[in-house]
Each structure stands twice: as structure tokens, then as C-alpha cells.
Amino acid sequence: MENNIPRMDELPKETQAIFKTLKSTALFSELSAKQLISLASHCRLKQVKKGTTIYRKGDLANHLYVIQSGYIIESVYYGSSVDVIVKVRSDGEYFGEIGLLSSGPYPNTVIALEDCCLIDLAKSYFMEAVDENTSVCKVIILELIDRLLNSAQNMVNSMYLDAPGRLASTIVNLTTNSRQKIMTIRITQSALAFSSGMARQTAAKILSEWRKEKIIATERGHLKVLDFNKLLDIILDSEINSC
């Protein structure tokens, strides 16, 4: 980090706003004010329209992104049109770090689910923050552990859970992150079905039943969880029945 750091009141308004978002982001929350000011001064805001592909799997990883506002979806494409949803991310969350740390391409595709304002941090400054701060490394390690555990759980789910259990598990994973439960997610039935390993018609039938039971509510391209605990019960029942 640079030695000659300006005071907060000397920063441009945009940089002050970036500072506040970085401070509330788990990845940088333990950095000192001077470190955050230095980091924020190297960031820029990027406005992204709904439906924009921020990057594709295989693109060279050169940037870390922090969401100031909006929703994005991470997915892995198979073939030309079918994709598996990995995660839905919202305000204060970050993405792109795996590609940067591996010094390779981005491992997934990220699309804006609505108009977004992103904080764009170039790779060199992100890697400097990683090298100089064990707290950043700790957050990344915990995130990687969480991803590995989720990946293992998804493999178990695909082998042992019935269709309702798999669908409920997918929704729970997509509506839960390290900071909060996002009860409304932007996702199509087709993407949700494929991510749960079932036909679209099967997913549509289950979702219709859950709507009647007021477990969820759906609109075009949106799904809202009304009874999170009921989804957990469905997963548990599916696990018990598989024994």
C-alpha cells in the first residue's frame, strides 16, 4: 500500500462511497482506514445494465468486483445453452477472486440480473492486499472451504435426495450467503430445474405445489421464499427417506 495516503475528507465523493462499501465487505472489513483509503483510491465504479455478461468462463481474470448495488448470478455453462447456477450475489458481496488467485481464467460466467453498480479493482492491487493482509487471506480460505463443502453436498444430494429435496436444497443454497438470507432471487424455472438435476416440467409441478402451500411465491423470472424453515424440512424429510 502507498505511504502518502490522503485524509477521508480529501477524497472525491466517488472514492468515499467506494470506501464505505469496501469497509462493509467481509473481504476487506478488517483492513485499517489507511489501507482501505489506499485500496479505494485504486478502484473505479462500473455501471452494468441488466442482462450484461460481466465476464465469461475462460476469460482472462484481471479484475475483482464488489457489488455496490444490484444482483449478479454466477453460473457454469455446459454445451451451448444450458447452465448450472452456482450462486446469486448481492450488495456488499464480491466475485472474481478465484480466477485472480489461480493466475488463470475465470472459472465461471457472471451475468447481471438487474442494473448493477460494481466496484472494479485491478488484479495487481487486489494481490497486493492479499499479500499484505492475513485477514483477507482468512476470508478467502473460509469462502473456499464453504464452496468445497457445498460442492460435496450437491454431489450427495444428486445421488440420494428425491426431486423435492434437490429443488429445495438448490433454493436454500441460492438464497443463503455469508451475510444474509436473500429471500427473493432472480432465476428462471429452466435454470433452477437444470441446477437441481431434473426436467423443467418436474420442477414446475413441484413449484406449483409449493405456491399453493405458501412456501414460495413466483413471478416472471423471480422466486420469493415465504417459508424458509419449510424448505429445510423438505430437505430433511428427503434425507430421512433416502436412508
Side-chain angles (χ1 to χ4, degrees):
M1 297 292 177
E2 297 178 2
N3 293 322
N4 298 321
I5 305 299
R7 299 195 313 269
M8 177 66 88
D9 58 4
E10 296 175 337
L11 298 175
K13 295 293 185 182
E14 180 176 296
T15 305
Q16 292 184 35
I18 291 172
F19 173 93
K20 291 178 181 178
T21 300
L22 295 182
K23 181 63 178 176
S24 66
T25 301
L27 190 60
F28 303 121
S29 61
E30 293 189 23
L31 268 61
S32 68
K34 286 187 177 181
Q35 289 173 316
L36 281 172
I37 289 173
S38 176
L39 200 62
S41 67
H42 294 299
C43 295
R44 66 184 181 91
L45 292 181
K46 182 176 183 179
Q47 303 295 333
V48 178
K49 292 292 185 182
K50 176 181 177 181
T52 299
T53 299
I54 298 165
Y55 58 72
R56 296 185 183 278
K57 178 182 178 181
D59 287 350
L60 186 61
N62 284 322
H63 301 271
L64 176 86
Y65 296 97
V66 179
I67 306 171
Q68 190 173 70
S69 64
Y71 282 83
I72 63 92
I73 192 166
E74 296 182 42
S75 63
V76 179
Y77 279 77
Y78 291 90
S80 59
S81 60
V82 181
D83 60 303
V84 173
I85 307 303
V86 178
K87 200 72 176 177
V88 174
R89 299 194 182 277
S90 62
D91 300 10
E93 292 193 275
Y94 59 91
F95 58 95
E97 79 285 359
I98 301 302
L100 298 182
L101 292 170
S102 66
S103 298
Y106 290 115
N108 50 28
T109 296
V110 176
I111 298 173
L113 292 177
E114 61 185 26
D115 291 351
C116 295
C117 182
L118 305 178
I119 295 173
D120 183 336
L121 178 64
K123 178 179 180 178
S124 59
Y125 297 112
F126 170 68
M127 295 307 299
E128 184 179 344
V130 170
D131 291 340
E132 294 182 359
N133 299 278
T134 57
S135 63
V136 176
C137 297
K138 181 179 178 181
V139 172
I140 292 172
I141 290 171
L142 291 175
E143 173 78 9
L144 290 174
I145 291 173
D146 185 58
R147 291 190 184 202
L148 286 171
L149 291 175
N150 283 338
S151 178
Q153 186 61 53
N154 289 337
M155 291 179 64
V156 172
N157 291 346
S158 66
M159 292 186 289
Y160 297 109
L161 298 186
D162 57 18
R166 295 200 306 275
L167 188 59
S169 179
T170 298
I171 293 172
V172 166
N173 285 335
L174 291 176
T175 55
T176 306
N177 59 42
S178 59
R179 301 176 70 245
Q180 61 184 339
K181 293 174 182 176
I182 307 169
M183 291 306 176
T184 300
I185 55 174
R186 279 70 165 169
I187 190 170
T188 64
Q189 284 193 6
S190 296
L192 187 57
F194 190 79
S195 298
S196 305
M198 64 186 69
R200 182 182 181 281
Q201 294 86 345
T202 303
K205 181 179 179 181
I206 296 171
L207 292 173
S208 177
E209 293 173 355
W210 290 353
R211 280 194 297 269
K212 294 176 182 176
E213 297 175 29
K214 299 189 184 303
I215 299 173
I216 63 163
T218 57
E219 297 178 6
R220 184 177 179 83
H222 293 67
L223 183 147
K224 183 176 183 179
V225 177
L226 303 177
D227 192 338
F228 193 83
N229 289 331
K230 183 61 178 177
L231 287 177
L232 296 179
D233 288 341
I234 291 170
I235 298 171
L236 180 59
D237 289 343
S238 183
E239 291 176 340
I240 292 174
N241 292 334
S242 69
C243 296

